[in-house]
Amino acid sequence: MNPRIRVAVGGVTGWAGSELARGVAHAPDMQLVAGLSRGAAGQPLAQLTGHADTPGVAAASIDVLAQTPCDVYVEYTKPAVAKHNILQALRHGAHVVVGTSGLSDQDYAEIDAAAHQAGRGVLACGNFAITVVLLQKFAEMAARHLDQWEIIDYAKAGKVDAPSGTVRELAYRLGQVRQPELTVPLDKVNGPVETRGASLSGTQVHAVRLPGYQLGVEVIFGADGQRLHLRHEAGDGSRPYVSGALLAIRKVHTLRGVVRGLDRVMEGL
């Protein structure tokens, strides 16, 4: 019988991290050994997860958390500290699954170098929902046949990182296929160039932050006399992300360096 995967969750009391922590605690092939939460530091993980057999207490910092050996660290905290947490986890010998948004391509280049040096894998997933995985695959297919596209990023009014990790990952992956065409170059725009959005990995991205939204992404492809809209909408709950995150935890040990996208470890996609 294989030993259980020892998992540490950063953001163990957060919107997504708390649901994942409960999923890990109840997974038969995993053991939640540590959790990171500044606000809940010192509180028993058993109390936070509702799983009586979960040992230990929440840690206030990655330096304290790293004192507990783990096989996989899941980063689900805040953009401002995410890179530091990931690099620290790699230094302490853990593979890393990234669910936090807001990391740039430059950040991932630095993380990739550290992961290769440590001989560890980093699986970065802007979104663990299967509908997002499918949207990304369909968008890559469309980009091979259609010359022009733009992305709209939807999120709640209080979301500070723009664009979201889902959109960053989507733009990056479309950029790996090819660069979209712009009929009017940005330096030829007659008016505030900001109205054309921000250029991310070669794609124009427009971030909407309003009440009434949770998370959403839409990529629009345009061609002569026709359009293709691919859109994902998320509800208020975080449970749809748990199964994908558990899959990432189970698969990240097979990787070396940074790999972006849950579909990279899903058979048949």
Side-chain angles (χ1 to χ4, degrees):
M1 183 176 179
N2 293 327
R4 290 191 291 174
I5 304 169
R6 299 172 300 173
V7 181
V9 176
V12 72
T13 57
W15 179 76
S18 59
E19 194 70 55
L20 175 60
R22 286 188 287 272
V24 169
H26 288 82
D29 59 340
M30 298 181 191
Q31 180 184 15
L32 183 67
V33 297
L36 177 60
S37 173
R38 187 183 307 174
Q43 293 187 26
L45 292 177
Q47 175 182 321
L48 296 175
T49 62
H51 190 271
D53 295 332
T54 303
V57 297
S61 70
I62 189 66
D63 301 304
V64 174
L65 179 140
Q67 296 174 14
T68 302
C70 70
D71 302 306
V72 179
Y73 168 71
V74 183
E75 168 52 37
Y76 246 147
T77 62
K78 301 290 185 182
V81 296
K83 184 171 75 169
H84 172 74
N85 290 347
I86 294 165
L87 293 175
Q88 283 291 86
L90 289 170
R91 291 189 189 103
H92 284 83
H95 299 281
V96 179
V97 172
V98 183
T100 302
S101 61
L103 293 169
S104 67
D105 292 346
Q106 183 176 349
D107 291 331
Y108 277 121
E110 183 178 342
I111 292 167
D112 182 61
H116 278 291
Q117 183 176 2
R120 292 294 182 265
V122 176
L123 183 54
C125 304
N127 197 307
F128 292 104
I130 186 63
T131 51
V132 170
V133 174
L134 293 172
L135 182 147
Q136 290 169 339
K137 294 299 290 185
F138 297 156
E140 287 177 323
M141 292 169 60
R144 296 187 181 97
H145 300 280
L146 300 170
D147 296 329
Q148 295 179 271
W149 63 83
E150 300 193 11
I151 298 174
I152 304 176
D153 173 31
Y154 304 94
K156 58 188 178 182
K159 188 174 180 62
V160 295
D161 49 312
S164 67
T166 303
V167 168
R168 287 179 183 271
E169 184 178 307
L170 176 59
Y172 169 81
R173 292 177 59 160
L174 290 174
Q176 298 301 296
V177 177
R178 60 171 167 157
Q179 299 291 298
E181 295 180 3
L182 283 175
T183 302
V184 179
L186 296 178
D187 60 357
K188 301 297 183 182
V189 170
N190 183 14
V193 70
E194 294 84 0
T195 62
R196 291 291 293 114
S199 184
L200 192 68
S201 299
T203 292
Q204 294 308 113
V205 175
H206 313 265
V208 176
R209 297 291 181 267
L210 288 172
Y213 288 104
Q214 185 61 44
L215 288 171
V217 55
E218 182 176 18
V219 54
I220 305 172
F221 294 86
D224 191 20
Q226 56 190 322
R227 291 193 310 273
L228 172 65
H229 294 251
L230 299 175
R231 181 164 176 159
H232 159 79
E233 290 281 0
D236 293 334
S238 56
R239 291 189 65 183
Y241 308 109
V242 173
S243 60
L246 295 179
L247 173 63
I249 291 168
R250 294 182 177 109
K251 294 289 188 177
V252 67
H253 76 278
T254 66
L255 309 175
R256 292 298 177 269
V258 172
V259 174
R260 295 174 70 168
L262 182 63
D263 62 293
R264 306 304 194 206
V265 296
M266 293 177 68
E267 296 179 3
L269 286 179

